[in-house]
Amino acid sequence: MVGTTHESLHRIFQKDPGLLTKALQKVLGVEFPEPREIAAMNVDLTEIEPVERRVDTLLRAETEEKTYLLVVESQGKTDDRKRGSWPYYLAYLHEKYRCEPVLIVITQSSATAKWASRPIQLGFPGWESLIVRPLVLGPDNVPVIEDEGEAVADPSLAVLSAMTHGKGRNAAAILESVAAALKTLDSDSAAAFAQFVDSCLADSRAKQMWRDLMTDIQYFWRHPLAEQVREEGREEGREEGRHEGRQEGRAEAKAETVLQILEWRGIPVSSSVRERVMACTDLDRLQAWAQRAMHVADSAELLAGE
């Protein structure tokens, strides 16, 4: 089970290796040749000496002309030790496999992306023995996909967008479009992608919104992450007592989600709207309001026509 943002940011490429070449071509504009075959490799770069070195994700991409090794590193913050280990990884892989290694760094931080993109130059100034130029995927170049049609056309890229940009005022539209895209995938892939997104959402309101969206998608509830969510629900239910108490608790949580979406988007909520939402116990109506809250310009529009 994926448990951290670090793991999700690189393991998504193990789940969908083709997404990596797509990111190189479409996001970074690198003229990387289309692979005939792409496969995951052992990430352990440890030598006989007791020094353990592991890359996050390692893929082998077979193209018409040659074979490339795609080294994916998930980076949460700046770490100057990487400026020593990354050149080591590339040199070791080239020596061991006799293939061209390519370093790709993925991050959710603009500052970290700027740091990671700086060339690593080793040797005499003006006559460097080794220069490493990482390719960096981050919030400044991964596209923001808010349109449902775009997300459905390219679900894996939409998932990467949500993992990179899943916070702030754009989050509601991004997560809603991804949820629609996941409905077009097979259940196993969709459940895995759903968990990748969940693991990368640091904002508690965004995470709650995502889990709320996922309650309507049956395959999500067969995934290990869903068991965690269900257990939380069962615990709440035990505290409430009976089924009726659980239903009331779900309605209250859903109502709070509706209000949180409006507040998160910076839309003032009048006392009359707040009272109406919190008094509602109809889960279907609350779900409809949650969807509407992602788009309305005024809180009064939430109840229009009711």
Side-chain angles (χ1 to χ4, degrees), residues 27-236:
V27 178
L28 299 178
V30 176
E31 295 183 2
F32 190 83
E34 194 66 34
R36 294 177 302 181
E37 180 185 354
I38 188 166
M41 298 179 65
N42 190 336
V43 299
D44 193 345
L45 308 186
T46 305
E47 301 179 81
I48 297 177
E49 297 296 327
V51 177
E52 183 176 336
R53 297 183 186 273
R54 294 176 183 271
V55 296
D56 287 334
T57 285
L58 180 61
L59 303 173
R60 184 185 69 250
E62 302 279 357
T63 72
E64 290 292 340
E65 296 183 356
K66 61 174 61 178
T67 299
Y68 294 92
L69 300 178
L70 305 180
V71 183
V72 184
E73 286 282 280
S74 173
Q75 198 66 29
K77 60 183 179 180
T78 61
D79 182 356
D80 285 335
R81 292 176 300 177
K82 293 292 187 178
R83 301 186 70 79
S85 58
W86 285 341
Y88 170 87
Y89 294 164
L90 302 183
Y92 177 87
L93 289 168
H94 185 268
E95 171 64 20
K96 181 175 181 178
Y97 295 104
R98 297 297 176 177
C99 299
E100 299 295 337
V102 180
L103 174 62
I104 301 103
V105 179
I106 182 166
T107 181
Q108 293 179 310
S109 164
S110 294
T112 302
K114 184 177 180 180
W115 164 82
S117 64
R118 287 171 21 217
I120 303 171
Q121 302 182 14
L122 304 179
F124 188 77
W127 197 274
E128 288 77 11
S129 300
L130 178 63
I131 300 177
V132 175
R133 298 174 58 201
L135 292 164
V136 182
L137 294 167
D140 296 325
N141 56 14
V142 173
V144 176
I145 298 181
E146 300 175 299
D147 180 75
E148 183 176 314
E150 289 184 46
V152 171
D154 198 337
S156 58
L157 190 59
V159 169
L160 184 62
S161 174
M163 292 168 65
T164 310
H165 300 285
K167 58 184 178 180
R169 293 191 177 185
N170 291 331
I174 293 172
L175 296 178
E176 188 178 25
S177 67
V178 174
L182 294 189
K183 294 179 182 179
T184 67
L185 302 180
D186 65 272
S187 59
D188 289 338
S189 295
F193 281 143
Q195 188 180 7
F196 285 138
V197 173
D198 188 274
S199 298
C200 286
L201 294 175
D203 188 304
S204 59
R205 292 171 297 183
K207 189 181 288 286
Q208 180 57 50
M209 182 188 302
W210 178 243
R211 292 185 174 186
D212 189 59
L213 287 168
M214 290 296 98
T215 58
D216 295 330
I217 303 179
Q218 291 184 349
Y219 59 72
F220 179 76
W221 298 100
R222 297 201 304 271
H223 201 269
L225 175 63
E227 181 57 35
Q228 174 188 338
V229 180
R230 281 198 296 272
E231 181 57 34
E232 292 172 0
R234 284 194 290 266
E235 189 62 36
E236 291 178 3

Side-chain angles (χ1 to χ4, degrees), residues 234-253:
R234 284 194 290 266
E235 189 62 36
E236 291 178 3
R238 283 191 288 270
E239 292 175 1
E240 292 292 334
R242 293 182 174 273
H243 176 72
E244 183 178 351
R246 290 198 295 270
Q247 287 295 99
E248 291 176 357
R250 289 180 61 195
E252 183 178 352

